[in-house]
Each structure stands twice: as C-alpha cells, then as structure tokens.
Amino acid sequence: MKLLPLTPDGQTPIRVLTIAGTDSGGGAGIQADSRTMAMLGVHACVAVAAVTVQNSVGVSGFHEIPPQIVADQVRSVVGDIGVGAAKTGMLASTAIIEAVAEVCGEVDIGRGHAVPLVVDPVCASMHGDPLLHAEALDAVRHTLIPIASLVTPNLDEVRLITGIDVVDDASARRAAEALHGLGAQWSLVKGGHLRTSTASTDLLFDGQDFHEFTSPRIDTGNDHGGGDTLAAAIACALANGYPMPEAVAFGKDWVTRCLAASYDLGAGHGPVSPLWRLH
C-alpha cells in the first residue's frame, strides 16, 4: 500500500487529535490511536475522556474524566498546537458527549467546520463490556453523530444506534442511510463483524452514493483495537488532505495489514499491530 508521506526531520509534522478513553492493556483506545498516528508519521494529541481498567480478557471498570476537563484538553491543544483532523472514541456519558460537541464547534472541528471529525461511537468493548452509559445512546444519536464528518460504528454499535441488524448488503445499505439520516456527513458501516462472509466489506455513504471497500477476511481472533486503528488511520489521511473515499480506502488497507500482523497477548484477544511497517 502507499503510505502517508513522512515529515523531514526537524520539521513539524501534521497533528491529529484523539478524544477517547485509555486502555490499560495497550491494545485499543488512545493507545491504539497514538500508535497508529505515530506509525503514519503524525503527531498525536490526546484528550482523555475516560480511564478504563482492562486487559486482554475484558473491561472490569472505568472512570470518567470531568466533562469540563475533557473540553479544556481539546481547547488547550487546538488553541496552541492546532490539528488537521480529530477523532473520538470512548466518551462514556451524556455530559462528556455534550461537552465534546460544544467545544468542537468552538474550535472549528466537525461537520461544516475546517477540521474533519471522525466519530467512532464506542458503546461496548469487543467482549461486550459496556463503555457507554445506556442513557447516553440518545446523545450519541442526536448530539455526537450530527457533528461527524464520518461516523464509523461496528455492527453491534449499528444495531444499538439504529435498531438495524446488518446481515447482508441490503441491510448494510439501510443502516448506512439511517446513520446518515442522523446527521453525519458520511457514514461507514463496517463489515468486519459479519462473520458469515468470506470477505470484509465496508460500506461508505454520503447521502447519495455508496462506495464499497472489500478486503480478504483475516483469520485471527487477535482483533482488539481494530475499530480504533481504522478510525485513526482515516483521520490521519484526512489530515493529509485525502478526500473522504480515498481516506477510507487508506484506512481499510492499513487496518487489514495490522490485522495480518496481529499477535497473541495475555489470555484473551491480542491487538492488531501497526508494527508491520517497521519490517
């Protein structure tokens, strides 16, 4: 695959902001975002929204950062350093979602603004452990998704947000239309969790046209952090000036390579790995 250009030594690289939760096991969340950004030659800025207690087996707890502190992190970073794109991950609560939406509008991030925003609407871990309070789903639908340049739910999140169970191409298209109808500029329905298919097809929709991105299904149980890695790679491509379809294609190629390089870690699911770039 063609990688993003690297900034010459001594020059300031492109900056991308992730607003998300931590992963104490290092496989997902802000850790996965930062690792991907570094491997793509981008300087990662972070606004921590929650701290999780987790390992390869599951999430046993999380602590929310006060909403004002989350917003202040965004305000501080953008006001001084500036960013070319941003993404969200685990935001945990209605109050944090509302604070993030408000500050993003203030600092020119999101749909209709200068800086694109990739919204990964994290609702639960891959083990099914909740990472979002149940009552916050309405805030995801009506506050977070409407500011998204792109929204990237997995199939479980699609079902929670839209009520649509994606089982084939027709239901994937209905889901993409429903997500776009909630206000996202572009919606991406990811097919990685559709285990009945021999390929992994992601469907991108802008309200008029559909774009399909298909890759071979990688036979591995080590896919922790795959959604974070995809969204982070797309954000990096957008910050480099890629149009949305090309940015999604880049992210799809990147996460497929990372899945192929995934490794065992602990007693549960290991992480996808961007370390393949070093070989």
Side-chain angles (χ1 to χ4, degrees):
M1 66 178 293
K2 182 181 179 182
L3 295 172
L4 302 180
L6 296 177
T7 305
D9 291 346
Q11 294 186 18
T12 304
I14 286 170
R15 287 82 65 206
V16 174
L17 171 66
T18 171
I19 312 166
T22 68
D23 176 357
S24 49
I30 278 177
Q31 283 77 2
D33 293 341
S34 298
R35 189 163 55 240
T36 291
M37 292 172 189
M39 285 295 176
L40 290 174
V42 169
H43 177 87
C45 298
V46 304
V48 180
V51 176
T52 69
V53 180
Q54 67 176 294
N55 53 28
S56 69
V57 177
V59 180
S60 56
F62 65 84
H63 172 73
E64 301 161 33
I65 303 300
Q68 187 61 49
I69 298 298
V70 180
D72 284 346
Q73 291 175 82
V74 175
R75 190 177 292 111
S76 177
V77 165
V78 177
D80 173 46
I81 297 171
V83 296
K87 72 168 291 286
T88 66
M90 176 189 181
L91 297 184
S93 71
T94 296
I96 293 174
I97 290 170
E98 290 174 343
V100 167
E102 182 177 354
V103 75
C104 281
E106 175 189 324
V107 300
D108 213 15
I109 291 174
R111 179 174 187 174
H113 292 278
V115 178
L117 176 67
V118 178
V119 169
D120 186 9
V122 175
C123 299
S125 75
M126 65 180 300
H127 307 92
D129 304 307
L131 295 175
L132 179 77
H133 293 301
E135 72 275 8
L137 269 175
D138 273 345
V140 171
R141 295 184 189 102
H142 304 303
T143 303
L144 186 59
I145 291 178
I147 68 169
S149 306
L150 172 70
V151 61
T152 65
N154 63 35
L155 297 188
D156 294 327
E157 291 156 352
V158 166
R159 184 169 55 252
L160 285 170
I161 293 166
T162 69
I164 297 172
D165 191 11
V166 174
V167 295
D168 54 19
D169 180 68
S171 52
R173 287 174 179 252
R174 289 198 303 274
E177 290 169 343
L179 289 164
H180 184 269
L182 289 172
Q185 184 176 358
W186 296 78
S187 59
L188 183 69
V189 176
K190 302 181 295 189
H193 287 190
L194 192 61
R195 306 294 184 186
T196 55
S197 174
T198 57
S200 173
T201 298
D202 297 351
L203 188 66
L204 179 68
F205 182 59
D206 67 352
Q208 182 173 354
D209 298 317
F210 289 98
H211 307 261
E212 289 190 354
F213 306 89
T214 300
S215 65
R217 183 171 295 280
I218 305 297
D219 185 18
T220 178
N222 294 328
D223 53 359
H224 189 45
D228 311 82
T229 298
L230 173 66
I234 293 171
C236 289
L238 290 172
N240 271 274
Y242 281 42
M244 187 63 74
E246 285 81 356
V248 172
F250 175 84
K252 178 71 168 175
D253 286 346
W254 176 262
V255 76
T256 301
R257 297 267 188 139
C258 293
L259 276 162
S262 63
Y263 52 85
D264 294 336
L265 188 71
H269 293 275
V272 304
S273 175
L275 299 177
W276 66 266
R277 184 174 185 177
L278 300 177
H279 301 257

